[in-house]
Amino acid sequence: MELPDRGPGADLVGRTAALLPDLSVDLQPSGWRLSGGRGRDAARGAAYLRQDLDELAEAYDGYVGELKLSLCGPWTLAAAVALPRGEKALSDPGACRDLRQALLAAATDHVDRVRSLVPGADVALQFDEPSLTAVLTGSVPTASGFSRLRSVDEQTAREALTELTAGLAARTRSIVVHTCAPSPPLRMLAEVPDLSVALDVALLGGAEWDLVAEAVEASRAPWLGLVPTDATGTHPGRYVERVLAMWRRLGLPDADLSTLTLSPACGLAGRSPDAALGVARLVQAAAHELGEIAQGS
């Protein structure tokens, strides 16, 4: 799991970078960098993962059902990892391609390892892409911070994600791109086969909700990040009401609420175990309420 308080190698980018075959990374003051040899922080990240997989196998012994895994997405990875000379990998199309191919190999191996440890697992694989909107709009800063890297066109971004989903679809129950940035590129993501989208409901405007409606009608309902990661309390009523009001305003039938997957708005890596469990219970309660509404329609 992603637990940043452990230190380098337990963060989103470091954990994923440590998995990449044939690409070595080390940690510099400016962040993760491709290098000629694997640094101790990357080795630590790989060790964390081995430990976590051992604990996963023990905790999920005999488990049958859906199990979600998370990795850093290809565009956020390219926007975060630097080349040996210091500029972000995003600045070099060849480096982006190498990272993407290595990520596909790493994800394939990771899913296979988990499936061997938990044979009853039906794996959902999530790629976290918090930087995707910035990549597409040319908002990622250069290494110096004085300029911005050139934007990636939507066709290139779409083709890269399509390559990932095509390579992993046979091994997974579902593949999800999670983005918690404003103005998510929903139209582009909807054009990627076998891909679902996970969104923070609080960041959706009217135009985004229209695209959510289109996805539902196309039988590709998104994952809705309904409950904020800093939420407290025990009753999900206000979160359910927000979604239900927009749902009905769009003219979507209540029965289709059953097609939704609910989640926290973003990752819970920064919360304490008790706080994370509280948010998860709110999500579960919200799903129960919406399920009852769907059944009663």
Side-chain angles (χ1 to χ4, degrees):
M1 64 183 68
E2 179 193 344
L3 293 172
D5 284 349
R6 281 170 156 179
D11 58 296
L12 173 64
V13 174
R15 158 146 290 189
T16 301
L19 288 174
L20 301 177
D22 304 321
L23 288 179
S24 297
V25 295
D26 61 17
L27 187 62
Q28 299 295 312
S30 58
W32 292 96
R33 182 191 67 174
L34 295 171
S35 65
R38 174 164 293 198
R40 63 179 182 180
D41 294 308
R44 183 186 299 118
Y48 285 150
L49 180 61
R50 290 193 297 270
Q51 175 187 336
D52 290 347
L53 289 177
D54 288 342
E55 294 181 1
L56 176 75
E58 181 177 349
Y60 280 75
D61 183 32
Y63 173 78
V64 176
E66 189 168 357
L67 179 62
K68 190 187 81 170
L69 308 178
S70 297
L71 293 172
C72 186
W75 293 111
T76 295
L77 193 63
V81 174
L83 299 169
R85 63 179 181 269
E87 193 51 85
K88 301 290 178 61
L90 186 63
S91 66
D92 184 332
C96 289
R97 182 183 62 252
D98 291 345
L99 275 176
R100 183 167 67 250
Q101 292 172 348
L103 179 60
L104 174 56
T108 299
D109 180 65
H110 188 45
V111 169
D112 287 349
R113 289 171 68 188
V114 170
R115 290 176 64 189
S116 69
L117 293 170
V118 188
D122 202 3
V123 173
L125 180 59
Q126 175 174 304
F127 287 107
D128 289 307
E129 285 280 22
S131 298
L132 180 57
T133 297
V135 167
L136 295 174
T137 58
S139 303
V140 177
T142 58
S144 67
F146 294 118
S147 186
R148 297 290 182 268
L149 296 176
R150 180 179 298 178
S151 63
V152 172
D153 66 86
E154 288 197 354
Q155 180 179 346
T156 300
R158 181 174 61 250
E159 289 174 352
L161 293 170
T162 298
E163 181 182 324
L164 277 180
T165 57
L168 293 163
R171 285 179 159 82
T172 57
R173 170 190 176 93
S174 57
I175 303 172
V176 185
V177 161
H178 173 257
T179 174
C180 52
S183 302
L186 297 185
R187 182 72 69 188
M188 181 273 287
L189 293 171
E191 294 172 351
V192 179
D194 302 312
L195 182 69
S196 298
V197 182
L199 305 161
D200 181 350
V201 167
L203 298 178
L204 298 182
E208 286 85 16
W209 273 109
D210 287 339
L211 293 174
V212 167
E214 290 182 20
V216 171
E217 291 168 349
S219 300
R220 294 182 64 179
W223 293 27
L224 294 186
L226 189 66
V227 180
T229 55
D230 60 354
T232 58
T234 58
H235 196 279
R238 57 178 169 159
Y239 310 120
V240 170
E241 289 170 4
R242 176 190 297 170
V243 169
L244 196 58
M246 184 58 71
W247 196 264
R248 289 171 173 168
R249 188 180 305 166
L250 291 167
L252 294 169
D254 286 356
D256 283 353
L257 289 165
S258 63
T259 67
L260 292 175
T261 299
L262 302 186
S263 70
C266 203
L268 298 171
R271 303 300 308 275
S272 69
D274 286 343
L277 183 59
V279 172
R281 285 173 173 163
L282 278 171
V283 172
Q284 186 177 42
H288 179 72
E289 282 200 21
L290 288 176
E292 286 189 334
I293 294 169
Q295 290 177 0
S297 60

